Amino acid sequence: MDSKLVNIGFGNAVKVGRILAVVNPGSSPIRKLKEEARLEKKLIDVTEGRRTRAIILLDSGHLVLSSVQPETISQRLLAMELDQRNPKQASAKGKQEEKHE
């Protein structure tokens, strides 16, 4: 799962193996962490000017601001993990969807 990328909005992706946490931006400690990352030039903003809905903490100390909900990112990560564990089931599901189209 190390080389997999997860979509975080607007055509941007993050390497799954680098993600430590996906958090809501509202709490005071997270806002402080965001400001520290900005001062250290470790803040990556991929919101395209929209409201920040999730902050992704990376193992390199970088913070990525995303306009996608944290729950959505978590669901995408979970789906990728399930696909990796059961590739036969995922390919069968894809074939069923193709038949219905």
Side-chain angles (χ1 to χ4, degrees), residues 88-100:
K88 291 179 184 176
Q89 193 175 38
S91 64
K93 183 180 177 184
K95 288 179 183 177
Q96 285 178 346
E97 290 175 0
E98 287 176 9
K99 288 180 182 177
H100 292 293

Side-chain angles (χ1 to χ4, degrees), residues 16-61:
V16 172
R18 305 294 304 261
I19 297 174
L20 295 178
V22 180
V23 297
N24 287 314
S27 72
S28 181
I30 296 299
R31 285 191 300 242
K32 184 177 179 185
L33 198 61
K34 177 181 164 185
E35 189 55 36
E36 289 173 1
R38 184 183 316 277
L39 294 173
E40 295 174 12
K41 307 283 190 230
K42 290 192 170 193
L43 187 69
I44 303 166
D45 186 349
V46 297
T47 61
E48 301 267 336
R50 291 178 173 75
R51 181 175 157 218
T52 299
R53 295 178 186 261
I55 297 180
I56 303 164
L57 285 73
L58 303 179
D59 62 354
S60 62

